[in-house]
Amino acid sequence: METRIKIADILLDSLPFIKIFRGKMIVIKYGGSAQANPRLKEQFAKDVVMMYMLGIKPIIVHGGGKDISEMLDILNIKSEFIDGHRITTQESMPIVEMVLSGSINKELTAFLNHHGIKAVGISGKDGGIFEAISKEEFSYTGKITRVDISLLTALLQNGFVPVIAPVAGSSEVNHPGYNINADMVACEIAKSLNAFKVIFLTDTKGVLDAQGNLFSALNEEKILELKKLGVITGGMLPKIEACLECIKSGVQKVHIIDGRIEHSLLLELFTSKGIGTEIF
């Protein structure tokens, strides 16, 4: 009986959040262990199904850095990173797109469909969603310059869940396209769709202080201070940059959560305490 009462309490605790989020668009950046571990994949799919059934409109952007690195190593193509961003070369771009738009995107789409969601796998090239330019000369790591949400809007209006690979097209004819940081893709989509929230699944608890303790909430002033102190570095930098860009553009809140925890999405969205770092 005590267990049943506890379950009822959890459901009642989630009720206000269900009311707030119903009908809202929430962009989820899916990556890290949650994307690689079979059990975590299963729990992620179930979380998205729950969100979908509660009337939330999820939009999923996935990464694929680990798979890309493994494939480039197999083909003996070197990778270089600067401040957490991969420098994509002309030689590596076709491989990057093959991994992101092919194996990863379609596997995730099929997995979600299997669990009861009408998911559609696309890349930023489809429907001309993203157009980009090179971030640096001769680099195929891109910066988004134009967003067209007409395809995404049509999918959402018809009850589909878009699953988006972070590859963008170019204004140049016969150009191979650009590899875009998935965190920034999630941010650009959230801005363009006027999404309610963005959630980043990572392999850390959230944003941590110098002693490894979790910040439950952060604002821009505190983030800039942590960057100056060198507390926020490496792969967390692109996420933080994307978070701030989202907030400045009207997204209500951004969350960085630990994707290694089962049902992390539900725990962050539908419980009073949450589990990660909320940025506002």
Side-chain angles (χ1 to χ4, degrees):
M1 182 61 72
E2 289 182 6
T3 302
R4 292 180 182 179
I5 293 172
K6 187 176 181 180
I7 292 171
D9 287 340
I10 293 170
L11 291 172
L12 289 171
D13 185 43
S14 68
L15 187 58
F17 303 106
I18 293 172
K19 288 180 178 179
I20 292 170
F21 301 148
R22 187 169 181 82
K24 300 291 196 305
M25 287 179 283
I26 295 180
V27 179
I28 303 163
K29 168 21 190 10
Y30 175 62
S33 295
Q35 190 175 319
N37 183 298
R39 181 168 178 80
L40 292 174
K41 280 184 185 180
E42 188 88 14
Q43 305 308 330
F44 172 78
K46 289 179 179 178
D47 284 5
V48 176
V49 169
M50 177 65 77
M51 293 169 64
Y52 183 80
M53 295 301 180
L54 290 172
I56 296 170
K57 298 178 180 179
I59 301 105
I60 300 168
V61 178
H62 64 80
K66 182 180 178 182
D67 288 37
I68 291 169
S69 294
E70 287 178 355
M71 182 59 71
L72 291 176
D73 285 344
I74 290 170
L75 297 172
N76 200 27
I77 299 174
K78 292 182 179 180
S79 283
E80 182 183 354
F81 290 84
I82 298 178
D83 292 332
H85 293 273
R86 184 188 302 273
I87 305 303
T88 311
T89 63
Q90 185 175 13
E91 183 182 19
S92 65
M93 183 59 212
I95 311 306
V96 169
E97 182 169 19
M98 177 186 72
V99 173
L100 289 173
S101 299
S103 57
I104 293 177
N105 186 270
K106 299 315 172 189
E107 180 191 48
L108 176 56
T109 302
F111 201 71
L112 290 169
N113 278 312
H114 175 76
H115 282 81
I117 288 179
K118 295 195 299 180
V120 177
I122 56 177
S123 82
K125 286 184 174 181
D126 294 308
I129 299 173
F130 295 127
E131 193 172 285
I133 59 173
S134 177
K135 291 189 72 173
E136 297 179 10
E137 192 175 8
F138 305 120
S139 170
Y140 287 78
T141 300
K143 176 182 178 181
I144 294 171
T145 55
R146 187 181 65 82
V147 181
D148 183 340
I149 61 170
S150 55
L151 174 58
L152 295 177
T153 301
L155 290 172
L156 292 165
Q157 287 176 345
N158 285 280
F160 291 95
V161 174
V163 179
I164 306 163
V167 176
S170 167
S171 61
E172 299 177 31
V173 179
N174 296 324
H175 191 282
Y178 293 99
N179 177 24
I180 312 293
N181 179 273
D183 297 331
M184 295 309 299
V185 168
C187 178
E188 289 294 337
I189 289 172
K191 287 162 51 180
S192 301
L193 288 172
N194 194 27
F196 188 69
K197 283 179 180 286
V198 182
I199 302 175
F200 294 95
L201 272 72
T202 68
D203 281 347
T204 66
K205 295 178 182 178
V207 182
L208 308 178
D209 66 16
Q211 288 72 46
N213 300 310
L214 177 70
F215 288 105
S216 58
L218 288 172
N219 58 18
E220 182 179 8
E221 183 181 357
K222 185 64 176 178
I223 286 170
L224 293 176
E225 178 187 335
L226 293 172
K227 287 174 70 175
K228 285 181 181 179
L229 293 171
V231 175
I232 298 175
T233 58
M236 185 57 74
L237 281 171
K239 286 182 176 56
I240 290 296
E241 291 168 5
C243 290
L244 291 178
E245 184 69 23
C246 288
I247 295 298
K248 290 175 182 178
S249 302
V251 175
Q252 296 270 339
K253 289 180 180 178
V254 183
H255 304 255
I256 299 176
I257 67 173
D258 193 342
R260 299 169 299 181
I261 296 174
E262 292 187 8
H263 301 300
S264 55
L265 279 174
L266 300 185
L267 290 169
E268 181 68 11
L269 286 173
F270 300 120
T271 63
S272 301
K273 293 182 179 180
I275 62 165
T277 302
E278 181 180 84
I279 296 170
F280 59 94

PDB file of all heavy atoms in Angstrom, residues 66 96 150 186 216 220 222 226 273:
ATOM      1  N   LYS A  66      31.148  10.318 -31.524  1.00  0.00           N
ATOM      2  CA  LYS A  66      31.904   9.092 -31.271  1.00  0.00           C
ATOM      3  C   LYS A  66      31.901   8.182 -32.498  1.00  0.00           C
ATOM      4  O   LYS A  66      32.947   7.658 -32.903  1.00  0.00           O
ATOM      5  CB  LYS A  66      31.313   8.356 -30.073  1.00  0.00           C
ATOM      6  CG  LYS A  66      32.071   7.097 -29.699  1.00  0.00           C
ATOM      7  CD  LYS A  66      31.451   6.393 -28.501  1.00  0.00           C
ATOM      8  CE  LYS A  66      32.187   5.113 -28.169  1.00  0.00           C
ATOM      9  NZ  LYS A  66      31.558   4.384 -27.034  1.00  0.00           N
ATOM     10  N   VAL A  96      31.207  12.068 -42.543  1.00  0.00           N
ATOM     11  CA  VAL A  96      30.393  12.671 -41.486  1.00  0.00           C
ATOM     12  C   VAL A  96      28.910  12.583 -41.843  1.00  0.00           C
ATOM     13  O   VAL A  96      28.086  12.171 -41.026  1.00  0.00           O
ATOM     14  CB  VAL A  96      30.807  14.146 -41.258  1.00  0.00           C
ATOM     15  CG1 VAL A  96      29.801  14.857 -40.362  1.00  0.00           C
ATOM     16  CG2 VAL A  96      32.204  14.222 -40.641  1.00  0.00           C
ATOM     17  N   SER A 150       9.412  25.377 -42.624  1.00  0.00           N
ATOM     18  CA  SER A 150       8.148  24.935 -43.229  1.00  0.00           C
ATOM     19  C   SER A 150       7.983  23.414 -43.166  1.00  0.00           C
ATOM     20  O   SER A 150       6.884  22.911 -42.872  1.00  0.00           O
ATOM     21  CB  SER A 150       8.025  25.437 -44.673  1.00  0.00           C
ATOM     22  OG  SER A 150       9.146  25.050 -45.444  1.00  0.00           O
ATOM     23  N   ALA A 186      20.210  22.423 -32.356  1.00  0.00           N
ATOM     24  CA  ALA A 186      19.079  22.403 -31.425  1.00  0.00           C
ATOM     25  C   ALA A 186      18.648  23.817 -31.065  1.00  0.00           C
ATOM     26  O   ALA A 186      17.444  24.127 -31.004  1.00  0.00           O
ATOM     27  CB  ALA A 186      19.459  21.624 -30.167  1.00  0.00           C
ATOM     28  N   SER A 216      22.461  23.713  -9.842  1.00  0.00           N
ATOM     29  CA  SER A 216      21.077  23.388 -10.201  1.00  0.00           C
ATOM     30  C   SER A 216      20.470  24.449 -11.104  1.00  0.00           C
ATOM     31  O   SER A 216      19.553  24.160 -11.878  1.00  0.00           O
ATOM     32  CB  SER A 216      20.221  23.213  -8.946  1.00  0.00           C
ATOM     33  OG  SER A 216      20.241  24.391  -8.159  1.00  0.00           O
ATOM     34  N   GLU A 220      23.094  34.088 -17.119  1.00  0.00           N
ATOM     35  CA  GLU A 220      24.188  34.504 -17.999  1.00  0.00           C
ATOM     36  C   GLU A 220      25.359  35.089 -17.217  1.00  0.00           C
ATOM     37  O   GLU A 220      26.523  34.796 -17.512  1.00  0.00           O
ATOM     38  CB  GLU A 220      23.681  35.529 -19.022  1.00  0.00           C
ATOM     39  CG  GLU A 220      24.762  35.958 -20.007  1.00  0.00           C
ATOM     40  CD  GLU A 220      24.267  36.954 -21.031  1.00  0.00           C
ATOM     41  OE1 GLU A 220      23.126  37.440 -20.897  1.00  0.00           O
ATOM     42  OE2 GLU A 220      25.036  37.268 -21.964  1.00  0.00           O
ATOM     43  N   LYS A 222      26.442  34.504 -14.181  1.00  0.00           N
ATOM     44  CA  LYS A 222      27.222  33.460 -13.511  1.00  0.00           C
ATOM     45  C   LYS A 222      27.998  32.618 -14.520  1.00  0.00           C
ATOM     46  O   LYS A 222      29.150  32.237 -14.281  1.00  0.00           O
ATOM     47  CB  LYS A 222      26.283  32.566 -12.681  1.00  0.00           C
ATOM     48  CG  LYS A 222      27.010  31.510 -11.853  1.00  0.00           C
ATOM     49  CD  LYS A 222      27.907  32.129 -10.788  1.00  0.00           C
ATOM     50  CE  LYS A 222      28.545  31.058  -9.915  1.00  0.00           C
ATOM     51  NZ  LYS A 222      29.465  31.650  -8.909  1.00  0.00           N
ATOM     52  N   LEU A 226      32.042  31.890 -14.728  1.00  0.00           N
ATOM     53  CA  LEU A 226      32.615  30.541 -14.719  1.00  0.00           C
ATOM     54  C   LEU A 226      33.528  30.316 -15.923  1.00  0.00           C
ATOM     55  O   LEU A 226      34.546  29.628 -15.818  1.00  0.00           O
ATOM     56  CB  LEU A 226      31.500  29.497 -14.706  1.00  0.00           C
ATOM     57  CG  LEU A 226      30.644  29.440 -13.427  1.00  0.00           C
ATOM     58  CD1 LEU A 226      29.459  28.498 -13.621  1.00  0.00           C
ATOM     59  CD2 LEU A 226      31.481  29.004 -12.233  1.00  0.00           C
ATOM     60  N   LYS A 273      12.153  18.762  -8.202  1.00  0.00           N
ATOM     61  CA  LYS A 273      13.582  18.996  -8.008  1.00  0.00           C
ATOM     62  C   LYS A 273      14.383  18.941  -9.294  1.00  0.00           C
ATOM     63  O   LYS A 273      15.393  19.627  -9.436  1.00  0.00           O
ATOM     64  CB  LYS A 273      14.142  17.969  -7.010  1.00  0.00           C
ATOM     65  CG  LYS A 273      13.607  18.151  -5.596  1.00  0.00           C
ATOM     66  CD  LYS A 273      14.234  17.142  -4.653  1.00  0.00           C
ATOM     67  CE  LYS A 273      13.724  17.319  -3.218  1.00  0.00           C
ATOM     68  NZ  LYS A 273      14.334  16.337  -2.291  1.00  0.00           N
TER      69      LYS A 273
END
